[in-house]
């Protein structure tokens, strides 16, 4: 036993000499990890194995022998991660933590710590209002009006069905603008796979469609729609064809939430915001922060159609809402063509 321990310590000294000369020496990093593991310090060993894996990158140009050593190091790192996770799970259970009932924020912190999830934050493409919480899907209890909108989903669906009978009313959601450069938004420009029919668009009612949807607009009468003249609200029916996808993207401003009321939601149509993926279910609404990376997919065999509208974030005071509105009115007064945020 003493000789074995002595051998591990001698290996650490040799590795330290090599690393002092070249901190990125793969063999020395792995050798020190092996020696530390032999001494029973698997946590420290994993740190040296992980360092070797980072230095190696994708392994291009490395000899087969060192690739084999790196694979062994990777397996050791993964085993240590599983042991550490089991230790945390056991310890926290003793402290009363239950992933299904305890704090969602604490549960996310564990997922981030364990590397099961990555951190997504607000990344607005145009305007950031500082200090707002980083929330992917807004908690229902902060949206007291949401249930009333859900309650009339059947009546809204009836108005939608009449419009769907005239498919030419729907236009591609992403359309080019003559007064701005037009990037192809990952293939979505002028793509009818993702189409829309607006009741309100960029803060202006679309009377020909709005008059055909009185129950829809009545349902939103008590909703805190985000109102910025010439920009918001937008209220629309959004259709995603069977098999279509909306690529990951970010919205423009973080002072509002985008709301979805699913009206036609076949199984297999789903939506991701950050690291939270959900399936649309007919009549079950949600609100989310579109400045956090999000994407959609319809892997069903039928089109998916939802009602979309935008509201102020509940954390915004009345004064702040008025000031943000005034800010963008001032922006637009400076020169034409800055509107059209979309949702």
């Amino acid at each position: 036993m003493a000789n074995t321990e002595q051998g591990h310590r001698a290996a650490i000294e040799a590795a330290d000499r090599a690393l002092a000369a070249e901190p990125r020496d793969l063999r020395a990093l792995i050798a020190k990890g092996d020696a530390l593991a032999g001494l029973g310090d698997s946590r420290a060993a994993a740190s040296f194995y992980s360092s070797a894996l980072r230095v190696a990158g994708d392994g291009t140009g490395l000899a087969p022998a060192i690739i084999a050593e790196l694979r062994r190091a990777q397996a050791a790192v993964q085993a240590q991660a599983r042991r550490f996770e089991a230790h945390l799970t056991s310890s926290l259970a003793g402290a009363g933590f239950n992933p299904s009932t305890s704090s969602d924020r604490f549960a996310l912190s564990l997922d981030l710590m364990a590397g099961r999830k990555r951190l997504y934050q607000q990344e607005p493409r145009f305007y950031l209002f500082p200090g707002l919480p980083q929330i992917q899907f807004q908690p229902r209890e902060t949206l007291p009006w949401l249930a009333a909108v859900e309650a009339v989903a059947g009546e809204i669906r009836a108005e939608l069905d009449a419009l769907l009978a005239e498919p030419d009313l729907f236009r591609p959601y992403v359309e080019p603008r003559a007064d701005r450069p037009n990037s192809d938004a990952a293939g979505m420009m002028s793509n009818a796979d993702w189409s829309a029919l607006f009741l309100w668009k960029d803060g202006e009612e679309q009377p020909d469609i709005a008059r055909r949807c009185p129950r829809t607009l009545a349902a939103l009468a008590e909703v805190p729609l985000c109102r910025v003249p010439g920009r918001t609200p937008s209220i629309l029916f959004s259709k995603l064809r069977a098999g279509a996808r909306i690529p990951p993207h970010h919205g423009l401003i973080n002072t509002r939430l985008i709301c979805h009321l699913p009206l036609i939601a076949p199984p297999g149509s789903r939506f991701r915001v950050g690291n939270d993926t959900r399936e649309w279910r007919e009549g079950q609404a949600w609100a989310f922060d579109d400045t956090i990376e999000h994407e959609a997919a319809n892997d069903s065999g039928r089109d998916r159609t939802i009602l979309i509208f935008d509201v102020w974030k509940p954390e915004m005071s009345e004064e702040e809402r008025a000031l943000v509105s005034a800010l963008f009115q001032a922006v637009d007064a400076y020169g034409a063509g800055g509107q059209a945020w979309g949702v």
Side-chain angles (χ1 to χ4, degrees), residues 118 120 137 194 240 244-250 260 269-278 280 286 288-290 292-298 304:
R118 56 165 283 196
Y120 290 89
F137 284 94
W194 180 22
L240 189 63
R245 295 176 180 270
I246 300 172
H249 61 288
H250 298 83
H260 288 180
S269 57
R270 63 187 185 278
F271 189 64
R272 177 184 68 84
V273 182
N275 46 46
D276 192 346
T277 300
R278 303 180 181 185
W280 284 287
W286 62 50
F288 70 97
D289 185 337
D290 76 328
I292 295 173
E293 183 185 274
H294 58 287
E295 63 180 322
N298 182 5
R304 177 242 61 185

Short mmCIF file of all heavy atoms in Angstrom, two decimals, residues 118 120 137 194 240 244-250 260 269-278 280 286 288-290 292-298 304:
data_model
loop_
_atom_site.label_atom_id
_atom_site.label_comp_id
_atom_site.label_asym_id
_atom_site.label_seq_id
_atom_site.Cartn_x
_atom_site.Cartn_y
_atom_site.Cartn_z
N ARG A 118 -28.40 24.44 -20.41
CA ARG A 118 -27.57 25.63 -20.57
C ARG A 118 -28.38 26.85 -20.20
O ARG A 118 -29.62 26.82 -20.19
CB ARG A 118 -27.05 25.76 -22.00
CG ARG A 118 -28.12 25.78 -23.06
CD ARG A 118 -27.61 26.26 -24.40
NE ARG A 118 -27.46 27.70 -24.44
CZ ARG A 118 -27.33 28.39 -25.57
NH1 ARG A 118 -27.32 27.76 -26.74
NH2 ARG A 118 -27.20 29.70 -25.54
N TYR A 120 -30.01 30.31 -20.75
CA TYR A 120 -30.50 31.21 -21.80
C TYR A 120 -30.92 32.52 -21.14
O TYR A 120 -31.57 32.52 -20.09
CB TYR A 120 -31.72 30.62 -22.52
CG TYR A 120 -31.39 29.44 -23.40
CD1 TYR A 120 -31.39 28.15 -22.89
CD2 TYR A 120 -31.10 29.61 -24.74
CE1 TYR A 120 -31.10 27.06 -23.70
CE2 TYR A 120 -30.81 28.53 -25.56
CZ TYR A 120 -30.82 27.26 -25.03
OH TYR A 120 -30.53 26.19 -25.83
N PHE A 137 -41.02 30.98 -19.80
CA PHE A 137 -42.47 31.00 -19.85
C PHE A 137 -42.97 31.71 -18.59
O PHE A 137 -42.61 31.34 -17.47
CB PHE A 137 -43.05 29.58 -19.90
CG PHE A 137 -42.93 28.93 -21.26
CD1 PHE A 137 -41.86 28.10 -21.56
CD2 PHE A 137 -43.91 29.13 -22.23
CE1 PHE A 137 -41.75 27.49 -22.80
CE2 PHE A 137 -43.81 28.52 -23.47
CZ PHE A 137 -42.73 27.71 -23.76
N TRP A 194 -44.88 29.23 -42.86
CA TRP A 194 -45.22 29.97 -41.64
C TRP A 194 -45.96 31.22 -42.10
O TRP A 194 -45.36 32.15 -42.63
CB TRP A 194 -43.95 30.33 -40.87
CG TRP A 194 -44.17 31.08 -39.59
CD1 TRP A 194 -45.32 31.13 -38.84
CD2 TRP A 194 -43.22 31.90 -38.90
NE1 TRP A 194 -45.14 31.91 -37.74
CE2 TRP A 194 -43.85 32.39 -37.75
CE3 TRP A 194 -41.89 32.23 -39.17
CZ2 TRP A 194 -43.20 33.23 -36.85
CZ3 TRP A 194 -41.25 33.07 -38.27
CH2 TRP A 194 -41.88 33.56 -37.12
N LEU A 240 -48.70 27.20 -38.95
CA LEU A 240 -47.45 26.49 -39.25
C LEU A 240 -47.83 25.18 -39.92
O LEU A 240 -48.50 24.33 -39.33
CB LEU A 240 -46.66 26.23 -37.97
CG LEU A 240 -45.24 25.70 -38.13
CD1 LEU A 240 -44.36 26.70 -38.87
CD2 LEU A 240 -44.63 25.37 -36.76
N ALA A 244 -43.35 21.65 -40.95
CA ALA A 244 -42.55 22.87 -41.01
C ALA A 244 -41.88 23.17 -39.67
O ALA A 244 -42.30 22.70 -38.61
CB ALA A 244 -43.41 24.05 -41.43
N ARG A 245 -40.84 23.99 -39.75
CA ARG A 245 -40.10 24.43 -38.56
C ARG A 245 -39.82 25.92 -38.64
O ARG A 245 -39.61 26.45 -39.73
CB ARG A 245 -38.77 23.66 -38.42
CG ARG A 245 -38.96 22.18 -38.17
CD ARG A 245 -37.64 21.41 -38.14
NE ARG A 245 -37.89 20.00 -37.91
CZ ARG A 245 -37.95 19.43 -36.70
NH1 ARG A 245 -37.76 20.18 -35.63
NH2 ARG A 245 -38.19 18.15 -36.56
N ILE A 246 -39.81 26.55 -37.50
CA ILE A 246 -39.38 27.95 -37.38
C ILE A 246 -38.02 27.91 -36.69
O ILE A 246 -37.91 27.39 -35.57
CB ILE A 246 -40.38 28.79 -36.57
CG1 ILE A 246 -41.75 28.78 -37.26
CG2 ILE A 246 -39.87 30.21 -36.41
CD1 ILE A 246 -42.86 29.43 -36.44
N PRO A 247 -36.96 28.41 -37.30
CA PRO A 247 -35.62 28.26 -36.74
C PRO A 247 -35.44 29.08 -35.46
O PRO A 247 -36.19 30.02 -35.19
CB PRO A 247 -34.71 28.77 -37.86
CG PRO A 247 -35.58 29.70 -38.65
CD PRO A 247 -36.97 29.12 -38.59
N PRO A 248 -34.43 28.75 -34.65
CA PRO A 248 -34.17 29.52 -33.43
C PRO A 248 -33.92 30.99 -33.74
O PRO A 248 -33.20 31.34 -34.68
CB PRO A 248 -32.90 28.86 -32.86
CG PRO A 248 -32.89 27.48 -33.45
CD PRO A 248 -33.49 27.62 -34.81
N HIS A 249 -34.53 31.88 -32.94
CA HIS A 249 -34.38 33.31 -33.16
C HIS A 249 -34.72 34.06 -31.88
O HIS A 249 -35.19 33.47 -30.89
CB HIS A 249 -35.25 33.79 -34.32
CG HIS A 249 -36.72 33.58 -34.13
ND1 HIS A 249 -37.32 32.34 -34.17
CD2 HIS A 249 -37.72 34.47 -33.88
CE1 HIS A 249 -38.62 32.45 -33.97
NE2 HIS A 249 -38.89 33.73 -33.77
N HIS A 250 -34.48 35.38 -31.90
CA HIS A 250 -34.76 36.26 -30.76
C HIS A 250 -35.65 37.41 -31.21
O HIS A 250 -35.56 37.87 -32.35
CB HIS A 250 -33.47 36.85 -30.18
CG HIS A 250 -32.52 35.84 -29.64
ND1 HIS A 250 -31.62 35.15 -30.45
CD2 HIS A 250 -32.30 35.39 -28.38
CE1 HIS A 250 -30.90 34.32 -29.70
NE2 HIS A 250 -31.29 34.45 -28.45
N HIS A 260 -49.61 32.98 -26.73
CA HIS A 260 -50.13 31.99 -27.67
C HIS A 260 -51.41 31.37 -27.09
O HIS A 260 -51.41 30.90 -25.94
CB HIS A 260 -49.14 30.84 -27.89
CG HIS A 260 -47.94 31.22 -28.70
ND1 HIS A 260 -46.93 30.30 -28.99
CD2 HIS A 260 -47.58 32.37 -29.30
CE1 HIS A 260 -46.01 30.91 -29.73
NE2 HIS A 260 -46.38 32.16 -29.91
N SER A 269 -46.90 19.03 -32.45
CA SER A 269 -46.54 20.43 -32.68
C SER A 269 -46.02 20.99 -31.36
O SER A 269 -46.69 20.90 -30.34
CB SER A 269 -47.74 21.23 -33.18
OG SER A 269 -48.84 21.17 -32.29
N ARG A 270 -44.82 21.54 -31.38
CA ARG A 270 -44.18 21.91 -30.12
C ARG A 270 -43.39 23.20 -30.26
O ARG A 270 -43.10 23.66 -31.36
CB ARG A 270 -43.27 20.78 -29.64
CG ARG A 270 -42.11 20.48 -30.56
CD ARG A 270 -41.34 19.26 -30.12
NE ARG A 270 -40.15 19.04 -30.94
CZ ARG A 270 -40.16 18.44 -32.12
NH1 ARG A 270 -41.31 17.99 -32.61
NH2 ARG A 270 -39.05 18.28 -32.81
N PHE A 271 -43.02 23.73 -29.08
CA PHE A 271 -42.42 25.06 -29.01
C PHE A 271 -41.37 25.05 -27.91
O PHE A 271 -41.61 24.54 -26.82
CB PHE A 271 -43.52 26.08 -28.68
CG PHE A 271 -43.10 27.52 -28.77
CD1 PHE A 271 -42.71 28.08 -29.97
CD2 PHE A 271 -43.13 28.32 -27.64
CE1 PHE A 271 -42.35 29.41 -30.05
CE2 PHE A 271 -42.76 29.65 -27.72
CZ PHE A 271 -42.37 30.20 -28.92
N ARG A 272 -40.20 25.60 -28.22
CA ARG A 272 -39.12 25.68 -27.24
C ARG A 272 -38.76 27.13 -26.96
O ARG A 272 -38.57 27.93 -27.88
CB ARG A 272 -37.85 24.97 -27.74
CG ARG A 272 -36.67 25.09 -26.77
CD ARG A 272 -35.40 24.46 -27.32
NE ARG A 272 -34.85 25.20 -28.46
CZ ARG A 272 -34.06 26.28 -28.35
NH1 ARG A 272 -33.73 26.77 -27.16
NH2 ARG A 272 -33.59 26.86 -29.44
N VAL A 273 -38.68 27.46 -25.67
CA VAL A 273 -38.13 28.74 -25.24
C VAL A 273 -36.97 28.42 -24.30
O VAL A 273 -37.17 27.79 -23.26
CB VAL A 273 -39.17 29.61 -24.51
CG1 VAL A 273 -38.55 30.95 -24.12
CG2 VAL A 273 -40.40 29.82 -25.38
N GLY A 274 -35.75 28.84 -24.66
CA GLY A 274 -34.59 28.49 -23.85
C GLY A 274 -34.46 26.99 -23.74
O GLY A 274 -34.39 26.27 -24.72
N ASN A 275 -34.48 26.47 -22.50
CA ASN A 275 -34.35 25.03 -22.31
C ASN A 275 -35.66 24.37 -21.90
O ASN A 275 -35.68 23.28 -21.34
CB ASN A 275 -33.25 24.72 -21.27
CG ASN A 275 -33.37 25.59 -20.04
OD1 ASN A 275 -34.46 25.75 -19.50
ND2 ASN A 275 -32.25 26.15 -19.58
N ASP A 276 -36.79 25.04 -22.17
CA ASP A 276 -38.11 24.52 -21.82
C ASP A 276 -38.90 24.27 -23.11
O ASP A 276 -39.22 25.20 -23.85
CB ASP A 276 -38.85 25.54 -20.94
CG ASP A 276 -40.11 24.97 -20.31
OD1 ASP A 276 -40.56 23.90 -20.74
OD2 ASP A 276 -40.65 25.63 -19.39
N THR A 277 -39.20 23.00 -23.40
CA THR A 277 -39.95 22.64 -24.59
C THR A 277 -41.33 22.13 -24.20
O THR A 277 -41.46 21.28 -23.30
CB THR A 277 -39.22 21.55 -25.40
OG1 THR A 277 -37.93 22.05 -25.80
CG2 THR A 277 -40.00 21.16 -26.64
N ARG A 278 -42.37 22.65 -24.86
CA ARG A 278 -43.74 22.28 -24.55
C ARG A 278 -44.50 22.00 -25.85
O ARG A 278 -44.20 22.57 -26.88
CB ARG A 278 -44.46 23.39 -23.78
CG ARG A 278 -43.75 23.79 -22.49
CD ARG A 278 -44.50 24.88 -21.76
NE ARG A 278 -43.81 25.27 -20.52
CZ ARG A 278 -44.29 26.14 -19.64
NH1 ARG A 278 -45.44 26.74 -19.88
NH2 ARG A 278 -43.60 26.42 -18.54
N TRP A 280 -48.03 22.50 -27.86
CA TRP A 280 -49.27 23.27 -27.84
C TRP A 280 -50.44 22.33 -27.58
O TRP A 280 -50.50 21.23 -28.12
CB TRP A 280 -49.49 23.95 -29.19
CG TRP A 280 -48.63 25.15 -29.44
CD1 TRP A 280 -48.74 26.39 -28.87
CD2 TRP A 280 -47.54 25.25 -30.37
NE1 TRP A 280 -47.79 27.24 -29.37
CE2 TRP A 280 -47.04 26.58 -30.30
CE3 TRP A 280 -46.94 24.35 -31.26
CZ2 TRP A 280 -45.98 27.01 -31.08
CZ3 TRP A 280 -45.88 24.78 -32.03
CH2 TRP A 280 -45.41 26.10 -31.94
N TRP A 286 -50.34 30.28 -23.13
CA TRP A 286 -49.14 30.62 -22.37
C TRP A 286 -48.60 31.95 -22.87
O TRP A 286 -49.00 32.44 -23.93
CB TRP A 286 -48.07 29.52 -22.44
CG TRP A 286 -47.52 29.20 -23.81
CD1 TRP A 286 -47.04 30.06 -24.75
CD2 TRP A 286 -47.36 27.88 -24.38
NE1 TRP A 286 -46.58 29.39 -25.86
CE2 TRP A 286 -46.77 28.06 -25.66
CE3 TRP A 286 -47.63 26.60 -23.93
CZ2 TRP A 286 -46.47 26.98 -26.49
CZ3 TRP A 286 -47.32 25.54 -24.76
CH2 TRP A 286 -46.75 25.72 -26.02
N PHE A 288 -44.67 34.08 -23.12
CA PHE A 288 -43.24 33.84 -23.03
C PHE A 288 -42.47 35.09 -23.43
O PHE A 288 -43.01 36.01 -24.06
CB PHE A 288 -42.83 32.65 -23.91
CG PHE A 288 -42.93 32.91 -25.40
CD1 PHE A 288 -41.81 33.28 -26.14
CD2 PHE A 288 -44.14 32.80 -26.06
CE1 PHE A 288 -41.90 33.53 -27.50
CE2 PHE A 288 -44.24 33.05 -27.42
CZ PHE A 288 -43.12 33.41 -28.14
N ASP A 289 -41.20 35.10 -23.07
CA ASP A 289 -40.29 36.19 -23.41
C ASP A 289 -39.60 35.84 -24.72
O ASP A 289 -38.77 34.94 -24.78
CB ASP A 289 -39.26 36.37 -22.29
CG ASP A 289 -38.33 37.56 -22.51
OD1 ASP A 289 -38.17 37.99 -23.67
OD2 ASP A 289 -37.76 38.05 -21.52
N ASP A 290 -39.95 36.56 -25.80
CA ASP A 290 -39.41 36.18 -27.10
C ASP A 290 -37.99 36.69 -27.33
O ASP A 290 -37.40 36.40 -28.37
CB ASP A 290 -40.33 36.61 -28.23
CG ASP A 290 -40.27 38.10 -28.54
OD1 ASP A 290 -40.04 38.90 -27.61
OD2 ASP A 290 -40.46 38.48 -29.71
N ILE A 292 -35.64 35.65 -25.43
CA ILE A 292 -34.90 34.43 -25.13
C ILE A 292 -35.03 33.51 -26.34
O ILE A 292 -36.10 33.40 -26.93
CB ILE A 292 -35.43 33.77 -23.85
CG1 ILE A 292 -35.20 34.69 -22.64
CG2 ILE A 292 -34.77 32.40 -23.62
CD1 ILE A 292 -35.84 34.20 -21.36
N GLU A 293 -33.94 32.88 -26.73
CA GLU A 293 -33.96 32.06 -27.94
C GLU A 293 -35.15 31.10 -27.94
O GLU A 293 -35.40 30.40 -26.96
CB GLU A 293 -32.66 31.26 -28.05
CG GLU A 293 -32.59 30.43 -29.33
CD GLU A 293 -31.36 29.55 -29.38
OE1 GLU A 293 -30.31 30.05 -29.81
OE2 GLU A 293 -31.45 28.37 -28.96
N HIS A 294 -35.88 31.07 -29.06
CA HIS A 294 -37.03 30.18 -29.16
C HIS A 294 -37.17 29.66 -30.59
O HIS A 294 -36.65 30.24 -31.53
CB HIS A 294 -38.32 30.88 -28.70
CG HIS A 294 -38.63 32.14 -29.46
ND1 HIS A 294 -37.93 33.31 -29.30
CD2 HIS A 294 -39.59 32.41 -30.39
CE1 HIS A 294 -38.43 34.25 -30.09
NE2 HIS A 294 -39.44 33.72 -30.77
N GLU A 295 -37.88 28.55 -30.72
CA GLU A 295 -38.09 27.92 -32.02
C GLU A 295 -39.36 27.08 -31.96
O GLU A 295 -39.87 26.77 -30.86
CB GLU A 295 -36.90 27.05 -32.42
CG GLU A 295 -36.65 25.88 -31.49
CD GLU A 295 -35.45 25.04 -31.92
OE1 GLU A 295 -35.28 24.86 -33.14
OE2 GLU A 295 -34.71 24.56 -31.04
N ALA A 296 -39.86 26.70 -33.14
CA ALA A 296 -41.09 25.92 -33.21
C ALA A 296 -40.94 24.82 -34.24
O ALA A 296 -40.16 24.93 -35.19
CB ALA A 296 -42.27 26.82 -33.58
N ALA A 297 -41.72 23.75 -34.05
CA ALA A 297 -41.73 22.64 -35.00
C ALA A 297 -43.12 22.03 -35.02
O ALA A 297 -43.80 21.95 -33.99
CB ALA A 297 -40.70 21.58 -34.62
N ASN A 298 -43.54 21.63 -36.21
CA ASN A 298 -44.81 20.94 -36.36
C ASN A 298 -44.54 19.60 -37.03
O ASN A 298 -44.51 19.50 -38.25
CB ASN A 298 -45.79 21.77 -37.19
CG ASN A 298 -47.15 21.09 -37.31
OD1 ASN A 298 -47.39 20.06 -36.70
ND2 ASN A 298 -48.03 21.67 -38.11
N ARG A 304 -50.83 23.55 -37.82
CA ARG A 304 -51.05 24.07 -36.47
C ARG A 304 -51.38 25.56 -36.57
O ARG A 304 -50.67 26.31 -37.26
CB ARG A 304 -49.80 23.87 -35.64
CG ARG A 304 -49.87 24.43 -34.21
CD ARG A 304 -48.83 25.51 -33.97
NE ARG A 304 -48.99 26.65 -34.83
CZ ARG A 304 -48.16 27.68 -34.89
NH1 ARG A 304 -47.08 27.69 -34.16
NH2 ARG A 304 -48.39 28.70 -35.71
#
